[in-house]
């Protein structure tokens, strides 16, 4: 059996960042839902919130497998926490502006920011899962397989919502729900194809 080639300390740090990302993601979604005025978008984010709560449990199980305290504090975790709190504050600031459509758009942008980090985390975990062996390798693979599709869905679909709501705000015809939603895309290639088809869907 070939030896796993990865830095175990860096993996531990990544998993702790992931724990904070999922906890922060919960707060981002709770605030974003309060900003949502499009019923389809609100329903979508309510589903993502439920999935995020499930992802928290997946990461906690990973922490158990790796012998990590899920509440341990690290410098990188502090940065992740700061960014998550900043996104929540940005949405609250937008809400105070008194323009619901503008607050909804800011919420979309904040979710895209949060999900870009979240998606990258799980992508990196998947890379380690490819080379890790034994119980750790098995746990990483199971965690990645349980969450990967949700993360793709969260990022690509919200990016579509963000684009179309921005186009609508500019006074141009938008596709709502966005093509990514209609086509139910789950990959970057699928998202790109859906976006290319938007003109035909107007």
């Amino acid at each position: 059996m070939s030896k796993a080639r990865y830095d175990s300390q860096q993996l531990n740090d990544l998993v702790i960042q992931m724990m904070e990302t999922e906890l922060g993601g919960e707060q981002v979604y709770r605030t974003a839902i309060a900003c949502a005025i499009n019923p389809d978008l609100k329903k979508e984010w309510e589903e993502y919130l439920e999935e995020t709560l499930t992802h928290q449990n997946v990461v906690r199980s990973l922490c158990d497998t790796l012998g990590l305290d899920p509440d341990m504090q690290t410098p990188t975790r502090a940065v992740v926490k700061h960014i998550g709190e900043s996104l929540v504050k940005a949405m609250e600031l937008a809400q105070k502006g008194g323009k619901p459509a503008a607050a909804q758009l800011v919420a979309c942008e904040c979710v895209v920011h949060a999900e870009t980090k979240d998606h990258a985390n799980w992508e990196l975990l998947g890379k380690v899962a490819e080379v890790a062996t034994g119980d750790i390798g098995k746990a990483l693979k199971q965690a990645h397989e349980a969450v990967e599709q949700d993360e793709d869905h969260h990022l690509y679909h919200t990016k579509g919502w963000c684009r179309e709501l921005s186009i609508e705000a500019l006074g141009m015809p938008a596709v709502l729900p966005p093509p990514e939603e209609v086509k139910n895309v789950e990959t970057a290639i699928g998202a790109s194809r859906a976006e290319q088809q938007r003109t035909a869907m107007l």
Side-chain angles (χ1 to χ4, degrees), residues 2-150:
S2 63
K3 191 178 177 212
R5 297 176 184 172
Y6 64 90
D7 185 320
S8 59
Q9 287 302 112
Q10 202 61 36
L11 171 62
N12 290 347
D13 188 71
L14 172 63
V15 172
I16 292 301
Q17 285 189 55
M18 292 173 76
M19 189 74 253
E20 188 59 49
T21 304
E22 297 296 348
L23 291 170
E26 176 187 347
Q27 301 311 314
V28 166
Y29 276 119
R30 290 192 188 283
T31 311
I33 288 165
C35 293
I37 53 177
N38 182 296
D40 292 325
L41 179 58
K42 186 170 188 174
K43 181 173 181 288
E44 187 89 351
W45 281 346
E46 286 170 344
E47 290 171 5
Y48 294 177
L49 172 59
E50 290 305 311
E51 288 166 355
T52 297
L53 296 175
T54 300
H55 299 171
Q56 290 176 5
N57 292 330
V58 173
V59 181
R60 281 196 182 92
S61 294
L62 262 186
C63 286
D64 288 343
T65 301
L66 295 169
L68 298 172
D69 175 2
D71 298 319
M72 75 180 288
Q73 299 303 310
T74 65
T76 51
R77 181 178 192 151
V79 172
V80 172
K81 184 178 177 67
H82 175 77
I83 292 170
E85 289 173 346
S86 297
L87 294 174
V88 169
K89 286 178 183 174
M91 288 184 276
E92 291 171 346
L93 186 64
Q95 281 180 303
K96 287 174 186 172
K99 294 183 178 178
Q104 176 177 252
L105 184 51
V106 168
C108 245
E109 292 170 354
C110 288
V111 170
V112 170
H113 281 301
E115 286 296 352
T116 298
K117 167 64 173 168
D118 206 6
H119 188 270
N121 286 345
W122 286 99
E123 201 169 38
L124 287 169
L125 192 84
K127 296 296 182 188
V128 182
E130 290 173 8
V131 298
T133 56
D135 290 342
I136 289 176
K138 183 180 178 183
L140 295 178
K141 288 179 181 69
Q142 286 178 340
H144 185 254
E145 287 170 6
V147 174
E148 181 190 23
Q149 191 170 9
D150 287 348

